[in-house]
């Protein structure tokens, strides 16, 4: 997902290692899609 520009990675070169992953602007644009998938999954789980 990093290569596709959906996630950004920051390596702080610390000891112990500290790396942060965040959604990029493109990744943030996917939030409505992910929310819809979450809602469908909850609906499905409650109705099986």
């Amino acid at each position: 997902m990093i290569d596709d520009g959906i996630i950004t990675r920051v390596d702080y070169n610390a000891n112990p290692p500290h790396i942060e992953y965040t959604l990029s602007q493109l990744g943030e644009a996917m939030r409505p899609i992910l929310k819809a998938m979450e809602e469908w999954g909850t609906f499905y789980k409650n109705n099986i």
Side-chain angles (χ1 to χ4, degrees), residues 11-26:
D11 185 345
Y12 290 95
N13 289 324
N15 192 7
H18 179 81
I19 299 172
E20 289 183 2
Y21 296 91
T22 58
L23 288 174
S24 66
Q25 187 174 2
L26 178 61

Side-chain angles (χ1 to χ4, degrees), residues 6 8 10 15 18 24 30 40 42 47:
I6 296 169
T8 59
V10 177
N15 192 7
H18 179 81
S24 66
M30 294 178 65
W40 180 86
T42 300
N47 290 287

